[in-house]
Amino acid sequence: MTGGPGLSVGDDRVREFLVAVGRGLLRPAVARRHPELASLGFFLRPRELERALGPASGEHVRVPRGLVFHVPPANVDTVFVYSWALSALMGNRNVVRLSARAGVVAEVILGVLHEALDGADPVVARTQRVVSYDRPGRESAGGRPLREGEGGRPLREGEGSRPLRESEGGRPLREGEGGRSPWESGGRAPDPTAELSAACDLRVIWGGDRTVDEIRRHPLAPHARDLAFPDRSSFAVVRAAAWLAAEPATRAAVADGFATDAYWFDQAACSSPGTVFWVGSPGECAAARDGFTACLAEAVARRGWTVDAAMAVEKRVAAYGLAADGVASSVEFRGNALAQVVLTAPDRAPRRWLGTGTFAHARLGTLGELAGVVRRKDQTMTHFGFGREELAELAGALGGRGVDRMVPVGAALGFHRVWDGVDLPAEFTRLVTVTAPPS
């Protein structure tokens, strides 16, 4: 990955490649089957890439940070592309470790990347890698490494993604090419995560707190740094009076947007809402909550989203557990796909995953009361019925104690260059101060 000329910030060769990837993701056959890839495709349009680059730096010259090692989560297949694409756009060499538990969507993305690579400048193949490898020390009796999930069990049939090996020419090999993994050796295999961590200039970790702690066991070079995105939780806030006054079409659109926020990644994305806070009088909030739940059930049914029996059982265990602990005053199920849990108090909002389609509800008298409820773990607040001034006032009152994003309902999964309060393009570059001599 070090041979040949390097890349610069906003390199046209990388831009052309990313635009080609975006076009591939927006093909009707792909976007219809995997709607979440359409959002990724739009993110890779020329105008969006230009916006991500941001303005010139004045007296500073922006240069790539160097080698960036990305460790994306397994439960949201698209995250690795957003992270890698912004880093590549900033001119970095990149290695993305794709989880062995990555699913079908990740495979589709890899297919599009391979297609775009055929028409790309060779510098792209020399500087960008997506790899998947087995964790060392887990070998079968015959000496072949076992592909295992992060939980330690062998993957079931159909799970995971194939390893991407590298050819001598520098491009990722397609299925069926190549020999053994570059990490294999005659004895005990070295730990690729340790080696990549030691070699990189920036390590980007997406995942739960446990994943972050595990990866951080591997030391970085003294000059390198970590950029970590650990466990987060998210919620929605709705002004009850605004919901009750909305036209049926508006209510349907809000419910549909909320369903998209929650169900696309089985409510496991860090930005997917788990709790809905209703702002208003007790009567308004109760009426709005019931009407919203009915609209949401219709939206879920219209989309054809379902929850299997095993998940339905898990949801009931979690929901009734909240009731047994005195956290919930009532629990209601609408089939297997939707569960409504009314909390005894807003400050008892759960921050853990309760199962796909399980939503806690609580009432607030004013939007400002959220300041006493929000925790540092809270990431995205989707909203309906509030103006920008009110939201900005709340952000000021929170003072960085939690909530890094306030976006309308339906936009929770939209990616932006600023994520979790971090300006990613700025993190992916260094600034060289250039001062001219006095005239």
Side-chain angles (χ1 to χ4, degrees), residues 259-272:
T260 297
D261 289 343
Y263 285 84
W264 255 6
F265 295 108
D266 294 330
Q267 210 176 338
C270 59
S271 56
S272 293

PDB file of all heavy atoms in Angstrom, residues 259-272:
ATOM      1  N   ALA A 259     -40.776   4.757  11.403  1.00  0.00           N
ATOM      2  CA  ALA A 259     -40.572   3.334  11.126  1.00  0.00           C
ATOM      3  C   ALA A 259     -39.247   3.101  10.411  1.00  0.00           C
ATOM      4  O   ALA A 259     -38.513   2.153  10.711  1.00  0.00           O
ATOM      5  CB  ALA A 259     -41.730   2.787  10.295  1.00  0.00           C
ATOM      6  N   THR A 260     -38.929   3.976   9.463  1.00  0.00           N
ATOM      7  CA  THR A 260     -37.640   3.864   8.768  1.00  0.00           C
ATOM      8  C   THR A 260     -36.494   4.028   9.745  1.00  0.00           C
ATOM      9  O   THR A 260     -35.515   3.263   9.724  1.00  0.00           O
ATOM     10  CB  THR A 260     -37.539   4.929   7.662  1.00  0.00           C
ATOM     11  OG1 THR A 260     -38.560   4.682   6.682  1.00  0.00           O
ATOM     12  CG2 THR A 260     -36.182   4.884   6.984  1.00  0.00           C
ATOM     13  N   ASP A 261     -36.583   5.019  10.626  1.00  0.00           N
ATOM     14  CA  ASP A 261     -35.534   5.248  11.626  1.00  0.00           C
ATOM     15  C   ASP A 261     -35.295   4.011  12.486  1.00  0.00           C
ATOM     16  O   ASP A 261     -34.153   3.715  12.866  1.00  0.00           O
ATOM     17  CB  ASP A 261     -35.926   6.403  12.551  1.00  0.00           C
ATOM     18  CG  ASP A 261     -35.886   7.765  11.876  1.00  0.00           C
ATOM     19  OD1 ASP A 261     -35.259   7.885  10.806  1.00  0.00           O
ATOM     20  OD2 ASP A 261     -36.492   8.709  12.425  1.00  0.00           O
ATOM     21  N   ALA A 262     -36.366   3.294  12.794  1.00  0.00           N
ATOM     22  CA  ALA A 262     -36.275   2.213  13.775  1.00  0.00           C
ATOM     23  C   ALA A 262     -36.051   0.831  13.167  1.00  0.00           C
ATOM     24  O   ALA A 262     -35.267   0.036  13.694  1.00  0.00           O
ATOM     25  CB  ALA A 262     -37.542   2.190  14.631  1.00  0.00           C
ATOM     26  N   TYR A 263     -36.732   0.529  12.069  1.00  0.00           N
ATOM     27  CA  TYR A 263     -36.799  -0.861  11.609  1.00  0.00           C
ATOM     28  C   TYR A 263     -35.751  -1.241  10.569  1.00  0.00           C
ATOM     29  O   TYR A 263     -35.529  -2.437  10.343  1.00  0.00           O
ATOM     30  CB  TYR A 263     -38.191  -1.167  11.050  1.00  0.00           C
ATOM     31  CG  TYR A 263     -39.255  -1.346  12.115  1.00  0.00           C
ATOM     32  CD1 TYR A 263     -39.909  -0.253  12.659  1.00  0.00           C
ATOM     33  CD2 TYR A 263     -39.607  -2.611  12.569  1.00  0.00           C
ATOM     34  CE1 TYR A 263     -40.891  -0.407  13.633  1.00  0.00           C
ATOM     35  CE2 TYR A 263     -40.589  -2.786  13.546  1.00  0.00           C
ATOM     36  CZ  TYR A 263     -41.217  -1.673  14.072  1.00  0.00           C
ATOM     37  OH  TYR A 263     -42.186  -1.828  15.040  1.00  0.00           O
ATOM     38  N   TRP A 264     -35.123  -0.267   9.889  1.00  0.00           N
ATOM     39  CA  TRP A 264     -34.190  -0.625   8.817  1.00  0.00           C
ATOM     40  C   TRP A 264     -33.078  -1.543   9.311  1.00  0.00           C
ATOM     41  O   TRP A 264     -32.679  -2.485   8.644  1.00  0.00           O
ATOM     42  CB  TRP A 264     -33.612   0.639   8.192  1.00  0.00           C
ATOM     43  CG  TRP A 264     -34.209   0.934   6.856  1.00  0.00           C
ATOM     44  CD1 TRP A 264     -35.233   0.284   6.234  1.00  0.00           C
ATOM     45  CD2 TRP A 264     -33.812   1.979   5.966  1.00  0.00           C
ATOM     46  NE1 TRP A 264     -35.507   0.853   5.026  1.00  0.00           N
ATOM     47  CE2 TRP A 264     -34.654   1.902   4.831  1.00  0.00           C
ATOM     48  CE3 TRP A 264     -32.851   2.979   6.023  1.00  0.00           C
ATOM     49  CZ2 TRP A 264     -34.544   2.780   3.752  1.00  0.00           C
ATOM     50  CZ3 TRP A 264     -32.748   3.858   4.947  1.00  0.00           C
ATOM     51  CH2 TRP A 264     -33.588   3.746   3.827  1.00  0.00           C
ATOM     52  N   PHE A 265     -32.533  -1.246  10.472  1.00  0.00           N
ATOM     53  CA  PHE A 265     -31.450  -2.070  11.019  1.00  0.00           C
ATOM     54  C   PHE A 265     -31.913  -2.758  12.298  1.00  0.00           C
ATOM     55  O   PHE A 265     -31.147  -2.907  13.251  1.00  0.00           O
ATOM     56  CB  PHE A 265     -30.209  -1.202  11.278  1.00  0.00           C
ATOM     57  CG  PHE A 265     -29.610  -0.628  10.028  1.00  0.00           C
ATOM     58  CD1 PHE A 265     -29.736   0.730   9.742  1.00  0.00           C
ATOM     59  CD2 PHE A 265     -28.945  -1.429   9.120  1.00  0.00           C
ATOM     60  CE1 PHE A 265     -29.198   1.271   8.587  1.00  0.00           C
ATOM     61  CE2 PHE A 265     -28.398  -0.902   7.963  1.00  0.00           C
ATOM     62  CZ  PHE A 265     -28.527   0.449   7.685  1.00  0.00           C
ATOM     63  N   ASP A 266     -33.192  -3.174  12.317  1.00  0.00           N
ATOM     64  CA  ASP A 266     -33.757  -3.900  13.459  1.00  0.00           C
ATOM     65  C   ASP A 266     -33.612  -3.120  14.760  1.00  0.00           C
ATOM     66  O   ASP A 266     -33.444  -3.694  15.832  1.00  0.00           O
ATOM     67  CB  ASP A 266     -33.107  -5.281  13.606  1.00  0.00           C
ATOM     68  CG  ASP A 266     -33.425  -6.199  12.438  1.00  0.00           C
ATOM     69  OD1 ASP A 266     -34.505  -6.045  11.844  1.00  0.00           O
ATOM     70  OD2 ASP A 266     -32.576  -7.058  12.108  1.00  0.00           O
ATOM     71  N   GLN A 267     -33.656  -1.804  14.649  1.00  0.00           N
ATOM     72  CA  GLN A 267     -33.582  -0.896  15.793  1.00  0.00           C
ATOM     73  C   GLN A 267     -32.250  -1.008  16.528  1.00  0.00           C
ATOM     74  O   GLN A 267     -32.128  -0.559  17.673  1.00  0.00           O
ATOM     75  CB  GLN A 267     -34.745  -1.147  16.771  1.00  0.00           C
ATOM     76  CG  GLN A 267     -35.202   0.078  17.546  1.00  0.00           C
ATOM     77  CD  GLN A 267     -36.420  -0.210  18.413  1.00  0.00           C
ATOM     78  OE1 GLN A 267     -37.162  -1.155  18.167  1.00  0.00           O
ATOM     79  NE2 GLN A 267     -36.632   0.602  19.436  1.00  0.00           N
ATOM     80  N   ALA A 268     -31.254  -1.594  15.862  1.00  0.00           N
ATOM     81  CA  ALA A 268     -29.950  -1.797  16.500  1.00  0.00           C
ATOM     82  C   ALA A 268     -28.954  -0.703  16.161  1.00  0.00           C
ATOM     83  O   ALA A 268     -27.866  -0.652  16.744  1.00  0.00           O
ATOM     84  CB  ALA A 268     -29.372  -3.151  16.086  1.00  0.00           C
ATOM     85  N   ALA A 269     -29.286   0.194  15.215  1.00  0.00           N
ATOM     86  CA  ALA A 269     -28.384   1.306  14.904  1.00  0.00           C
ATOM     87  C   ALA A 269     -28.340   2.265  16.082  1.00  0.00           C
ATOM     88  O   ALA A 269     -29.345   2.475  16.775  1.00  0.00           O
ATOM     89  CB  ALA A 269     -28.860   2.034  13.649  1.00  0.00           C
ATOM     90  N   CYS A 270     -27.182   2.867  16.317  1.00  0.00           N
ATOM     91  CA  CYS A 270     -27.042   3.757  17.466  1.00  0.00           C
ATOM     92  C   CYS A 270     -27.974   4.957  17.378  1.00  0.00           C
ATOM     93  O   CYS A 270     -28.342   5.543  18.403  1.00  0.00           O
ATOM     94  CB  CYS A 270     -25.595   4.230  17.582  1.00  0.00           C
ATOM     95  SG  CYS A 270     -24.970   5.125  16.130  1.00  0.00           S
ATOM     96  N   SER A 271     -28.387   5.331  16.175  1.00  0.00           N
ATOM     97  CA  SER A 271     -29.249   6.497  15.995  1.00  0.00           C
ATOM     98  C   SER A 271     -30.731   6.146  15.935  1.00  0.00           C
ATOM     99  O   SER A 271     -31.572   7.037  15.791  1.00  0.00           O
ATOM    100  CB  SER A 271     -28.852   7.255  14.723  1.00  0.00           C
ATOM    101  OG  SER A 271     -28.887   6.404  13.594  1.00  0.00           O
ATOM    102  N   SER A 272     -31.079   4.859  16.046  1.00  0.00           N
ATOM    103  CA  SER A 272     -32.477   4.446  16.015  1.00  0.00           C
ATOM    104  C   SER A 272     -33.141   4.731  17.357  1.00  0.00           C
ATOM    105  O   SER A 272     -32.584   4.397  18.412  1.00  0.00           O
ATOM    106  CB  SER A 272     -32.595   2.960  15.685  1.00  0.00           C
ATOM    107  OG  SER A 272     -32.184   2.700  14.362  1.00  0.00           O
TER     108      SER A 272
END
